[in-house]
Amino acid sequence: MLRLASLGLLLGLVPLAGATAGPKPDRRPSGQPADDRPTSRPVDEEPSWEFQFAGHGGAAGLISRGEVRLALASSLSPIDETVGYSRERSWGASLRAIRGRWGVEIQHHRVAGRGFTPAAMMRETRWFGARELTITESADDLLSAFVVWEIPLAQERARFHLAAGGGYLLMGGDSGRLALEDLPVGISRMATLGGVSREAAIEMTPGDFRADRGVVVLGGSLGLTVRMGRMFLRPRLDAFIGGARSTEESWGMDLHVPEVQDEVAATMTLNTTMRPRLFLFSVEVGWSSRP
């Protein structure tokens, strides 16, 4: 009987102990599902590439610094240093690829200039009749590539840019014409032969012509891009400094003197060296691949 009473007492204490302990507390943060595990923080996405296509028009300020020398037979004239200034029109197109704040740009300028020609350099000399030389219409092509750095302004609605790079100034069209091509076929001048001054007729015939087609240029740019959705407006200023471009043309000269049967023949050679400077103000209107 004593054993039965002890067993009954133990069986009655077991449920009482379970009720006193209660359920174990939930240590998960409130609101977190029971089956979810903490996930790692998402990595920031890299900015995508943006492509900008634009056309532009504007004005060009051209400066040509150089030297001119004329050689007649074995006689060399002093070197004349020249500086020419002109304002011309320019137009063209560009393509820019930007990722974040950095990018690259390829640009083409067409400059309607006449200042980078041998005839224009001749007009800047003190030689007799030089101001009467004709300068024909011409056009030069400037191809350039820039590394671009953009600075966001006004909550990304505008961006200021700085750029540096280089390119090639291709002098084509009529810029390779002979400087003295428009001289008349027969020129009457006073010549001294044997100590006697006589009137002589000079016949000039063109000879060889050699010219560097273009020069390498270094440049920089600054501007402001104003966005209007996918469209944008960009006023900008580009400046370029070019290397030396040389030309050489030769002319045959036959001197006809009355009462003298023998003709006097000589060769006249004109050498020019020119270093171009370009300041291009333009306004671009373009489209962007990203609004």
Side-chain angles (χ1 to χ4, degrees), residues 53-290:
F53 306 88
H56 63 261
L62 310 180
I63 302 175
S64 59
R65 294 180 176 272
E67 298 87 28
V68 179
R69 165 169 277 184
L70 190 66
L72 181 58
S74 59
S75 176
L76 293 176
S77 70
I79 294 178
D80 273 61
E81 296 185 357
T82 64
V83 181
Y85 304 90
S86 63
R87 291 189 298 270
E88 305 291 348
R89 305 180 311 275
S90 70
W91 61 94
S94 66
L95 168 62
R96 179 180 294 189
I98 289 287
R99 189 175 186 180
R101 293 192 178 187
W102 292 91
V104 294
E105 181 183 64
I106 300 174
Q107 193 177 41
H108 169 252
H109 280 280
R110 180 83 166 175
V111 181
R114 299 177 298 171
F116 299 153
T117 62
M121 297 183 64
M122 284 277 293
R123 285 174 60 95
E124 301 300 326
T125 65
R126 299 182 299 273
W127 299 349
F128 177 77
R131 301 296 297 179
E132 300 175 3
L133 292 176
T134 302
I135 303 179
T136 58
E137 293 291 338
S138 180
D140 304 317
D141 292 287
L142 175 60
L143 303 175
S144 62
F146 284 129
V147 176
V148 182
W149 179 48
E150 291 189 339
I151 304 172
L153 302 172
Q155 299 180 352
E156 298 285 347
R157 290 193 299 272
R159 288 195 168 199
F160 175 77
H161 82 255
L162 293 172
Y168 190 75
L169 177 61
L170 183 64
M171 302 179 185
D174 291 332
S175 64
R177 291 186 61 187
L178 295 169
L180 306 178
E181 189 172 6
D182 294 323
L183 289 178
V185 177
I187 305 175
S188 179
R189 289 289 186 269
M190 297 301 295
T192 301
L193 297 175
V196 180
S197 180
R198 302 172 183 271
E199 185 176 354
I202 303 175
E203 298 287 341
M204 299 183 64
T205 56
D208 296 331
F209 179 72
R210 179 193 61 80
D212 298 333
R213 187 68 187 276
V215 295
V216 176
V217 296
L218 298 177
S221 172
L222 56 87
L224 180 67
T225 303
V226 180
R227 291 179 172 275
M228 298 165 285
R230 289 187 180 269
M231 302 297 294
F232 63 86
L233 191 69
R234 180 187 294 140
R236 61 186 295 167
L237 175 65
D238 301 274
F240 296 90
I241 299 176
R245 184 211 188 192
S246 299
T247 67
E248 179 181 293
E249 62 181 87
S250 62
W251 290 78
M253 300 179 63
D254 294 325
L255 190 64
H256 303 274
V257 182
E259 302 177 0
V260 176
Q261 295 182 352
D262 295 334
E263 296 182 354
V264 178
T267 301
M268 183 176 66
T269 304
L270 175 67
N271 295 93
T272 67
T273 301
M274 184 267 299
R275 289 171 290 278
R277 308 286 187 266
L278 299 93
F279 299 91
L280 308 172
F281 175 77
S282 58
V283 177
E284 290 182 316
V285 179
W287 178 87
S288 172
S289 63
R290 192 172 65 206

Side-chain angles (χ1 to χ4, degrees), residues 25-36:
D26 189 359
R27 300 182 180 275
R28 291 187 298 270
S30 61
Q32 179 175 334
D35 296 335
D36 290 348

Side-chain angles (χ1 to χ4, degrees), residues 6-21:
S6 300
L7 181 59
L9 181 60
L10 291 174
L11 292 176
L13 292 174
V14 170
L16 182 60
T20 303

